[in-house]
Amino acid sequence: MALDLETREQLIDMVRRFVAERLRPIEAKVAEDDAVPAEVVEEMKGLGLFGLSIPEEFGGLGLNMEEECLVGIELGRASPAFRSVFGTNVGIGSQGLVMFGTDDQKAKWLPGIASGEIVTSFALTEPEAGSDSGAVQTRATRDGDDYVLNGGKRFITNAGKASLFTVMARTNPDAKGGSGVSAFLVPRDLPGLEVSKPEKKMGQQGAHIHDVSFDNVRVPAWNRLGEEGEGFKVAMQVLDRGRLHISAVCVGVAERLIADCVAYASERKQFGAPLASFQMVQAMIADSKTEALAARALVLETARLRDTGAGVTLEAAAAKLFASEMVGRVADRAVQIFGGAGYVADYGIERLYRDVRIFRIYEGASEIQKLVIARETLKRGG
């Protein structure tokens, strides 16, 4: 159920102040240390950020998609590493359980996910299964009341801190593509599950990704999400929501960059006049503002459509494609407007330039979004 307007505005204002007063001042330190301070994580838990999308009956805020996107836009105004701390709990790490879990599964895990006591991860990507998510080779072989998992996953966000993984594994080796894949809830402490050291990344320092391996990991059949062979269905529905969430964050980053550009261009002088007085600078600001407004409108319209219960696979893919490509262009223009100051670390523009590059890759690369958009458009006949 949607929040009443007053409560929604109070929530957004709270997040906006937390971003401005608590997160933005420590962005450079987080990037340098490659870690979000533990006390900040505890504050995030206290604000309910780990449970934004978890139903109220399990201790979450139970936001609908539009409300989640509005919060995501505000969170995008700080370094994306902060959002990543709880992002998997809000999105891909929990939503399979929310959408497809049994009542008993939900009762066991969702309260801890909502409070932040349990950190979740979504383990789909493999060395040979990235964009081709139906090519999963991690195996889950039935053995009595258990499944035995063997294989490995790559680039898994928050795996280092996760205590529960949603794992996609092939239960039918003879089935082609995603039809032979099932989804499992896999606790971190099961014997045979190993997490590697974090990868060194281009951007988003403070947010970590890891390899995860499974060596004869025995998972109770009770932990399966949905029916056997429904894993691909679980993954795709989870990603529809996740793509909208990421799109909203892209809008927030773009809006922050535009505000930074306006402030800098209004103060910085060249040839005796503020940068903002030059038409070519104005053109870059105008292009960025127009694209950000278009992305915001598309994201929120799609979120509202999803809240009606309508299928939004096409629209979510379009939002993810446009918003992630848009914020890359905005970040590039920001570096240009700041000039040399945009290339050095002092203003944080170069950091955001690097941070936003991943948005065009994860939760479905831009090329995959185009395939989804074309496929769904052809299905609809236009």
Side-chain angles (χ1 to χ4, degrees), residues 159-312:
K161 296 182 178 179
S163 49
L164 182 67
F165 295 86
T166 299
V167 179
M168 299 297 152
R170 188 164 296 281
T171 46
N172 183 353
D174 298 323
K176 293 182 179 180
S179 61
V181 176
S182 301
F184 299 90
L185 297 164
V186 183
R188 168 70 168 270
D189 58 2
L190 292 182
L193 191 158
E194 298 290 338
V195 178
S196 74
K197 293 180 179 179
E199 300 279 358
K200 292 183 178 180
K201 311 193 311 304
M202 176 181 180
Q204 295 201 22
Q205 277 67 43
H208 300 140
I209 59 175
H210 307 252
D211 286 358
V212 183
S213 63
F214 306 92
D215 183 9
N216 290 320
V217 177
R218 299 192 73 88
V219 180
W222 187 87
N223 289 31
R224 191 184 64 224
L225 267 180
E227 298 300 320
E228 191 169 289
E230 285 189 344
F232 195 71
K233 173 184 174 183
V234 172
M236 292 305 101
Q237 291 197 29
V238 166
L239 286 171
D240 277 353
R241 182 171 188 132
R243 286 167 178 168
L244 274 176
H245 179 97
I246 292 299
S247 301
V249 175
C250 290
V251 171
V253 179
E255 291 182 351
R256 180 255 179 91
L257 283 165
I258 293 167
D260 288 351
C261 286
V262 168
Y264 183 80
S266 299
E267 297 175 1
R268 173 70 168 162
K269 291 186 177 181
Q270 289 290 294
F271 305 103
L275 282 177
S277 67
F278 296 108
Q279 288 183 341
M280 282 188 283
V281 173
Q282 292 175 4
M284 286 189 281
I285 292 172
D287 285 342
S288 295
K289 185 65 174 180
T290 301
E291 290 188 77
L293 285 171
R296 175 186 268 263
L298 176 58
V299 170
L300 294 180
E301 178 184 2
T302 302
R304 288 189 287 268
L305 182 60
R306 187 184 186 281
D307 286 334
T308 68
V312 294

Side-chain angles (χ1 to χ4, degrees), residues 19-60:
V19 166
E21 298 170 9
R22 193 71 178 98
L23 301 186
R24 285 192 60 165
I26 62 171
E27 287 178 328
K29 178 174 174 54
V30 167
E32 183 177 350
D33 296 345
D34 194 19
V36 177
E39 61 270 22
V40 174
V41 177
E42 290 304 312
E43 291 174 40
M44 291 175 175
K45 292 178 182 178
L47 292 172
L49 296 181
F50 280 81
L52 292 176
S53 61
I54 306 299
E56 290 183 84
E57 63 187 290
F58 298 107

Side-chain angles (χ1 to χ4, degrees), residues 104-143:
D104 288 341
Q105 289 171 337
K106 292 177 181 179
K108 180 174 181 177
W109 282 302
L110 284 182
I113 295 171
S115 69
E117 178 185 352
I118 295 173
V119 174
T120 62
S121 276
F122 183 70
L124 171 61
T125 301
E126 298 179 2
E128 300 298 327
S131 293
D132 184 8
S133 53
V136 167
Q137 294 303 309
T138 295
R139 292 286 300 276
T141 305
R142 187 68 183 253
D143 183 20

